[in-house]
Amino acid sequence: MTERIVVGAALLDGGRLLAARRSAPEELAGRWELPGGKVEPGEAPEVALVRELREELGVDAEVIERLPGEWPLKPPYVLQVWTTRLLPGSGDPEPLQDHDALRWLGAGELWDVDWLDPDVPAVEEVAGRLRS
């Protein structure tokens, strides 16, 4: 089975990270994640991430850099995470698809939400960057 990539956005704004609460599927509902989604065949991960943020949150974002590592999801998927930022004039993110709430978290608030397990290592990486 060929590995498929799911992209996640560590969307940063003024020292804060955006968390998105899942509304579906039932086994994930109520837990928090970095927004993003599946890379379509032939699509570059960075392009997929920009598309997913537009679809899920209604915003335009710039991809900055990929965080080191990748994390297993339900086979055949793996999670890769990029730091991103909103483009000027993009507006405020809204939970349009797959989420029922969004929350900006400062460095001291990152663990106030119940992150999905695969997102935890990426959030830990971002936490180190926000502290420094």
Side-chain angles (χ1 to χ4, degrees):
M1 193 172 347
T2 303
E3 190 174 86
R4 298 269 320 268
I5 297 171
V6 172
V7 290
L11 186 57
L12 301 171
D13 179 57
R16 302 177 305 162
L17 173 68
L18 187 71
R21 188 172 64 195
R22 294 289 310 206
S23 56
E26 187 176 329
E27 65 271 14
L28 303 179
R31 295 193 66 197
W32 295 78
E33 70 175 355
L34 300 170
K38 295 180 181 96
V39 176
E40 299 297 334
E43 187 178 38
E46 296 88 341
V47 172
L49 191 53
V50 169
R51 175 184 53 75
E52 287 286 345
L53 291 175
R54 193 173 296 123
E55 290 172 3
E56 289 187 4
L57 306 176
V59 295
D60 290 316
E62 175 185 18
V63 176
I64 301 168
E65 68 173 323
R66 184 172 159 205
L67 296 179
E70 65 179 29
W71 301 277
L73 300 170
K74 189 174 175 180
Y77 297 100
V78 295
L79 175 65
Q80 296 178 355
V81 177
W82 277 258
T83 56
T84 59
R85 66 176 161 234
L86 294 174
L87 289 174
S90 180
D92 293 324
E94 298 288 336
L96 304 176
Q97 200 178 72
D98 301 324
H99 304 104
D100 62 6
L102 302 176
R103 187 168 164 195
W104 287 105
L105 302 169
E109 303 169 304
L110 291 177
W111 305 110
D112 290 357
V113 300
D114 183 18
W115 291 102
L116 291 173
D117 296 343
D119 290 54
V120 168
V123 174
E124 288 172 341
E125 175 73 24
V126 171
R129 293 170 183 225
L130 289 178
R131 282 192 301 269
S132 59

